[in-house]
Each structure stands twice: as C-alpha cells, then as structure tokens.
Amino acid sequence: MSLFERFRHIAALREEFSRVGDNPFNIVIEEALSATEAVVNGRRTILAGTNNYLGLTFDPRCIAAGCEALEHQGTGTTGSRMANGTYAGHLALERELAQFFGCPSAIVFSTGYLANLGILSTLPGAGTPVLLDADSHASIYDGCRLGNGEVIRFRHNDPADLDRRLGRLGERAAGALIVVEGIYSMLGDQAPLTEIVEVKKRHGAYLVVDEAHSLGVLGTGGRGLAEQVGVADEVDFIVGTFSKSLGAVGGFCVSKWPQLEDVRYAMRPYIFTASSSPAVIESTRMALRILEQEGSALRERLWDNAHRLYRGLLELGFSLGPETSPVVAVTLGRSKETALAVWHQLLARGVYVNLVMPPATPGTNCLLRCSLSAAHSRDQVDRIIDAFSSLREQVAAC
Ligand code: PMP
C-alpha cells in the first residue's frame, strides 16, 4: 500500500476545491497593504479573517523596534533558549510580561502552539487528570498527547459537567488540571470563568486559561477574561500568544507560582526548538508597551467594530455565535460545496474571511469566521456587511 493512501481523501477535496477556484486553505496574500487590507488575486481586499485585534502589525513603532533589532542583533538566534538562544531581549520580555500580569514568573516560547505544548505536556505527571473543554484548540489537545496526563473532556462551557467529572475522580480531583480558553476562536464565545473558578476551588484543582484571543481584547488593562471577570488571582497559569493582539509571532506562559521557573527546564517544546528572533522579540515588547499605554482606546474601537458587524449581520438574518465578540462567526449549513461557493463570492466582492469546515468547527456545520480589528474603519465594516447582504439568498440555501 502506498504511504500516501491515507491522504487520498485530501487529494479528492483539493481537486474538488480547485474546480471551483482558489483553495481557501492556501490563500495567498500577494501584498499586505495595511493591518486591514491586502492584495489577493490581484485585487485590493478587506482582511476580515485575521487575528490582528489591535491592528498593530503595521504600527510604525513596532516596525522600527523590529528593524533596529535586525540591524544590531542579526536575523536569528540560531539556537534554543537553553543552549544558545536566550538573548537579553527574551529575558526583558519575560520580565515585562510578568510585570504586566503581576506574576513572579513568565516564560517566552517561539509560538503560542509551543507554549501550550510545553505546559500541557510537562505539568501533568503520569496519570494526572487533565480536564479539557471539548472545544479546546488543537495545541491544547496536542500538548496533552505529548504528555502523560489522563485527558478527560467536559462539555463546552459547562461548569456543571466539569464539576461532575471532577467529582467522579474522588481524591484525584485535588491536583487535577483544568484547561479553558478566554475567548473561543471559532464562535467568539467566552468561558464562564467565574463558575469554573468556583468548581476549581471546590475540588482543589489547578486552572490554565489560554487567553490567546482575549489578550488585548478583554479586561480593563487588556489582560484578558480573567481580569475582566475579576478572578485573575485564582488562575494558576495563563497561556497566550504574540500572534494576535501583539501582531508578531511567539507565545508565553505566566503563573502566580514561582515554581514555573523549575518547569522551564523540563519542557521539551521550550528546550528543543530555536528561540524567537530578536526582531520578533523587540516588536512584541513594543506592542506590549502600546497595549499597556493605549490599549483602552484601541479596545474601544475594536468593540465598536465588533458591535457594528454583529448587529449588522444579525439584522440581515444570519445565524451568528452566541455573543458579540471581535470574532463573528456566520453559521452555514453542512454543505461544503455551498460554503465554498459563498466564501468565493465574498472574496470576489473584496472581502476575505475564514472558511471553516468540520471537523475544525465545534459542530457539524460550516462557518464563515469573520474577525475584526481596531484598525478597521466603520466604512470597511459596512462593506463587509454589504458583501454578506448581497449573498443572503445563497447562505439561506446552504
Ligand atoms: N491557543 C489558541 C486558543 C489559539 O487559537 C491559537 C492559534 N490560533 C494558539 C493557541 C496558537 O497560537 P500561535 O498561532 O501563536 O501558535
């Protein structure tokens, strides 16, 4: 049997996609023009499918910080943090993140994916129960697969189900690890964190919150959902990424437990990969400073855009995620062909969104995932709404 036999269904899908037009999972940004626009297929297109929540990718201060690091520190570290890849900038960023979250310890990783891999493959010992929200990001599942914990899924955003499953563990519940996300990336819904914290405390478990999509987006200081609902002191580990609100690439974990420093030296996804380049670290440091100093104004614009798009699409009769969020997901039907056709027509109207198909979606339907930025103008948001409006009938037929 050919080694590639198992991938035949992917080959078939690719062929099917190519008959209709561009492959939505291989779209090329021919030229990035700004935080909100790019040239795609030779056409100026509104980017409504990024995670550039604060719109900082083109901030001149971040660009200047990155350029200066490139010039003075070179293109890359060529090594891992533990071998030869820890530069002064990595430590400075760790100090700044720890300070920002009011924690004694912070670790910087090369991506957010690796941050989850590091924490979830290393913290739980053999057989430690790890309770995952069923809609957890792939990096959370993959981290668990790399480790030796016992994975137990609980129903999405259901603290009662979590409580029941912890209850069944008896004494093992104390010391179990619960993992949730601040904002879920597909539907834009938030975790019921206050209730989850109550459950965690009742059982003596530990709590990890992945604030990848909520950093910069929620909380009076932009620290995420834990800050917004006032439970930051009860969260044991916050994981996050630099690839969304901070406009770069990289990941981090902060903790109120100073012992995180010991865990650092046991995490394979930290040890056995090259560290982030100095340019990335310096642009991230600048973005974090901007988030601290100007975040509330940026958040106001972001949420203004989020409300405008959510309201606009709701009024047009589209079926959306359960709450207003910078991630606005339009639920389609199950037909991949129709979803693909609608996605193409949006692109032809100059609007790029994410096409998401099962099994990447929480349910069995296809989604058009829109995401907004503080940098979108109201006019751009209206153009996104207009593009959807012109496709109402096709979506209804999905
Ligand atoms: N956690 C969540 C919830 C995410 O959505 C993502 C990325 N989409 C990650 C982690 C991984 O982040 P990164 O892109 O920095 O690897």
Side-chain angles (χ1 to χ4, degrees), residues 162-387:
L162 172 64
D163 192 31
R164 264 192 306 277
R165 287 171 194 274
L166 278 165
R168 280 185 214 141
L169 291 171
E171 284 180 2
R172 291 174 65 217
L177 201 63
I178 302 166
V179 189
V180 299
E181 296 176 27
I183 291 180
Y184 285 86
S185 57
M186 288 298 136
L187 295 179
D189 49 336
Q190 299 173 16
L193 205 53
T194 310
E195 293 82 352
I196 283 168
V197 162
E198 274 169 27
V199 174
K200 162 215 134 116
K201 281 165 71 177
R202 192 156 52 245
H203 293 276
Y206 292 87
L207 177 61
V208 178
V209 181
D210 181 342
E211 301 268 23
H213 292 269
S214 32
L215 174 73
V217 171
L218 297 177
T220 48
R223 293 176 187 84
L225 181 64
E227 180 189 39
Q228 172 141 314
V229 301
V231 297
D233 291 347
E234 301 296 343
V235 175
D236 298 280
F237 303 92
I238 287 179
V239 177
T241 173
F242 306 150
S243 70
K244 305 187 193 308
S245 281
L246 297 176
V249 63
F252 69 90
C253 177
V254 295
S255 176
K256 62 180 186 179
W257 299 99
Q259 295 95 320
L260 182 65
E261 272 311 311
D262 304 326
V263 183
R264 178 194 294 267
Y265 299 99
M267 286 191 286
R268 299 174 69 86
Y270 171 87
I271 301 169
F272 294 107
T273 194
S275 62
S276 309
S277 72
V280 160
I281 293 294
E282 294 309 322
S283 89
T284 303
R285 290 181 66 197
M286 182 57 77
L288 183 63
R289 216 166 300 156
I290 294 169
L291 191 164
E292 284 186 84
Q293 291 166 5
E294 300 165 23
S296 63
L298 292 171
R299 257 188 307 288
E300 204 171 304
R301 287 215 289 277
L302 170 66
W303 279 96
D304 185 55
N305 285 337
H307 285 292
R308 196 174 183 85
L309 182 63
Y310 193 86
R311 204 171 41 236
L313 293 180
L314 208 58
E315 280 167 7
L316 287 169
F318 288 105
S319 162
L320 305 180
E323 58 189 297
T324 307
S325 157
V327 175
V328 181
V330 176
T331 306
L332 307 176
R334 293 182 185 195
S335 160
K336 289 185 176 164
E337 297 72 30
T338 324
L340 187 63
V342 173
W343 178 83
H344 271 294
Q345 288 175 47
L346 281 170
L347 196 60
R349 286 161 173 75
V351 174
Y352 168 74
V353 303
N354 307 122
L355 174 61
V356 196
M357 294 176 170
T361 53
T364 50
N365 290 335
C366 298
L367 292 179
L368 291 172
R369 175 190 182 270
C370 310
S371 62
L372 290 163
S373 167
H376 281 117
S377 66
R378 284 185 173 174
D379 176 59
Q380 285 176 318
V381 177
D382 290 344
R383 279 156 55 203
I384 299 169
I385 297 170
D386 287 347

Side-chain angles (χ1 to χ4, degrees), residues 81-82 86 90-91 93-98 101 103-112 114-116 118-119 122-123 237-242 250-255 257-267 269-271 276 281:
R81 292 289 306 273
M82 262 173 79
T86 292
H90 294 97
L91 296 183
L93 179 53
E94 286 178 345
R95 261 195 319 275
E96 288 155 9
L97 281 165
F101 283 98
C103 287
S105 188
I107 299 180
V108 163
F109 295 82
S110 302
T111 66
L114 287 174
N116 271 330
I119 291 300
T122 313
L123 268 179
F237 303 92
I238 287 179
V239 177
T241 173
F242 306 150
F252 69 90
C253 177
V254 295
S255 176
W257 299 99
Q259 295 95 320
L260 182 65
E261 272 311 311
D262 304 326
V263 183
R264 178 194 294 267
Y265 299 99
M267 286 191 286
Y270 171 87
I271 301 169
S276 309
I281 293 294

